[in-house]
Amino acid sequence: MTLPHSPNGHAARTVCLFTGTLAAFAGAERATATLANALAARGHRVHVLSLWGHTPVFPLAPAVAHHAMFAERVAFKHHYIAIVRQVRRYVREHAIDVMIDVDPMLALYTVPATLGLPLRRIAWEHSTYASDLGRRARRWARALAARRYDAVVVLTDADRDAWRTHHPHAHARFVTLPNPLGLPIPDVPPEPRSEQGILAVGRLVPEKGFDRLIDAWARIACDAPGWQVRIVGDGPLRDALLTQADQAGVANSVQVLPAVADVAQHYARAAIYCLPSRRESFGLVLLEAKAYAVPVVAYAADAGPRALLHDEVDSLVVDDGDIDGLAGALRRLIGNASLRRRLGLAGYAHAKDFGADAIAARWEALWAERASTLERAR
């Protein structure tokens, strides 16, 4: 049978992105919605199957079908058999050609659910390989994906090498594909900002290091009258961060604002972006900031930021944990508008490589290439 082709020349496929949820403001969820929309725009039939959460917080294109198995998060281990059965039923009813697990942990459901079914399986890893979160089940799931899947997609070459090292006899190919940029890139670089704002975006959890940003800001705030720090996100540390700012004497210049789907409004106002993370597998926020020509100050935490940032070209990169260094880099940008503009324009040019359609085309080529390999093997 000859498959219909997308407007871009590749055979149109029925693709299912299987995820925990789209009902949370987080990087993997944003990337999932962005990729789903971009694949649909390229002519594919796209489904998103979630474990829980009927209402996505990131918009899905009308052509993308979304189905959640549960309204709220449940103890999934108590529903394991039911989930496997639901996944199998969904895959068969919709004739899924390509199954993309947004977390390799989902292999624990997908492998038994798709036994004997003619589809390609791809795991999409959003964490660094070292981040197994102390869970034996995650290690099992990664090993299962390496043995049984057609491909495992990771975000950096360093993680691709780690997968190869830990799974030398894998069936899966290990492929580096960056996350797609979820925001539309302005046609021209935005003009320099009149507002004096330092922006940070992410979950309010220890890994994101917003406490370190407040510590650094407290050391220079008196030298930067009129400047504000805006931390945008939801999470358990909101009150702790506000208390820290108050105790450091900078409560009047630090805002902690709720996460929003339209985060572009914050990038459009920011003069500087700061990434103070302790761990960061990729750092999609860095690309979002660059898309709006916002210069970046960041800790060189993990492989993702190191791969995305170019010190003194589009950012100022500081040794991880050096609070004085972070404060000094912020002070340097605050006092030098021409440096802010130079770094911002370089970042804007770099962000164009990560547009959603360009990344979706690379996913398309991944399963098309794998299909050709399998056909030659037959």
Side-chain angles (χ1 to χ4, degrees):
M1 180 180 68
T2 302
L3 291 170
H5 281 68
S6 74
N8 304 281
H10 285 286
R13 302 289 183 180
T14 303
V15 182
C16 180
L17 291 101
F18 181 27
T19 186
T21 188
L22 286 186
F25 287 106
E29 287 75 11
R30 180 185 291 277
T32 300
T34 301
L35 181 60
N37 292 341
L39 290 173
R42 293 180 68 82
H44 300 284
R45 300 171 294 274
V46 181
H47 298 254
V48 178
L49 178 61
S50 298
L51 287 177
W52 66 274
H54 293 308
T55 306
V57 297
F58 299 109
L60 293 175
V64 176
H66 177 255
H67 173 75
M69 299 182 212
F70 300 91
E72 304 291 340
R73 187 191 295 271
V74 298
F76 296 114
K77 64 182 178 181
H78 299 312
H79 298 271
Y80 179 77
I81 299 300
I83 292 171
V84 169
R85 287 174 174 166
Q86 286 194 61
V87 172
R88 186 173 184 85
R89 186 182 310 118
Y90 196 90
V91 168
R92 295 182 70 179
E93 285 180 357
H94 298 283
I96 302 300
D97 297 314
V98 181
M99 188 79 164
I100 301 173
D101 290 352
V102 176
D103 183 333
M105 276 290 288
L106 296 170
L108 299 174
Y109 302 112
T110 296
V111 169
T114 59
L115 282 174
L117 300 183
L119 80 168
R120 279 177 286 287
R121 291 186 291 245
I122 301 173
W124 189 7
E125 176 68 271
H126 290 269
S127 300
T128 60
Y129 195 89
S131 301
D132 65 12
L133 307 180
R135 297 176 64 182
R136 186 179 302 169
R138 181 169 291 275
R139 293 191 289 273
W140 288 345
R142 283 173 167 171
L144 190 60
R147 289 198 306 269
R148 302 296 295 273
Y149 280 33
D150 294 288
V152 174
V153 170
V154 298
L155 301 178
T156 66
D157 289 342
D159 273 305
R160 180 197 60 197
D161 294 344
W163 275 84
R164 287 175 174 170
T165 298
H166 286 87
H167 305 281
H169 306 296
H171 169 76
R173 291 177 57 215
F174 302 125
V175 180
T176 304
L177 275 178
N179 277 340
L181 185 59
L183 304 177
I185 301 175
D187 293 334
V188 296
E191 293 297 320
R193 279 66 167 176
S194 58
E195 288 194 35
Q196 298 173 315
I198 299 168
L199 176 65
V201 177
R203 286 275 298 160
L204 306 182
V205 293
E207 290 80 5
K208 297 300 181 181
F210 296 130
D211 57 305
R212 307 201 290 184
L213 170 56
I214 293 173
D215 279 346
W217 176 242
R219 302 182 188 198
I220 63 169
C222 61
D223 300 325
W227 282 76
Q228 293 275 323
V229 170
R230 296 188 183 96
I231 300 170
V232 177
D234 296 329
L237 295 185
R238 176 179 298 277
D239 291 344
L241 293 172
L242 291 171
T243 298
Q244 178 189 358
D246 183 55
Q247 292 176 346
V250 291
N252 63 338
S253 59
V254 173
Q255 297 175 288
V256 182
L257 305 173
V260 291
D262 180 23
V263 72
Q265 62 183 285
H266 290 293
Y267 293 113
R269 297 167 56 195
I272 298 169
Y273 189 86
C274 183
L275 184 95
S277 298
R278 293 180 169 87
R279 290 205 304 270
E280 194 72 57
S281 59
F282 184 66
L284 189 58
V285 291
L286 297 173
L287 293 177
E288 293 174 346
K290 287 182 177 188
Y292 279 78
V294 184
V296 173
V297 172
Y299 281 134
D302 278 339
R306 287 196 294 272
L308 292 176
L309 298 174
H310 308 90
D311 188 33
E312 298 289 346
V313 176
D314 55 27
S315 55
L316 300 181
V317 181
V318 181
D319 290 338
D320 187 24
D322 182 355
I323 300 294
D324 284 335
L326 189 68
L330 289 171
R331 179 188 282 114
R332 184 178 166 198
L333 279 187
I334 287 169
N336 192 331
S338 63
L339 177 61
R340 294 200 301 270
R341 188 60 175 168
R342 176 173 67 80
L343 299 183
L345 289 175
Y348 173 83
H350 183 228
K352 288 193 168 185
D353 294 337
F354 299 86
D357 184 67
I359 300 302
R362 293 174 65 181
W363 276 89
E364 196 174 62
L366 169 63
W367 66 64
E369 178 183 338
R370 191 63 180 176
S372 298
T373 301
L374 293 174
E375 287 168 6
R376 287 195 300 271
R378 293 192 189 103

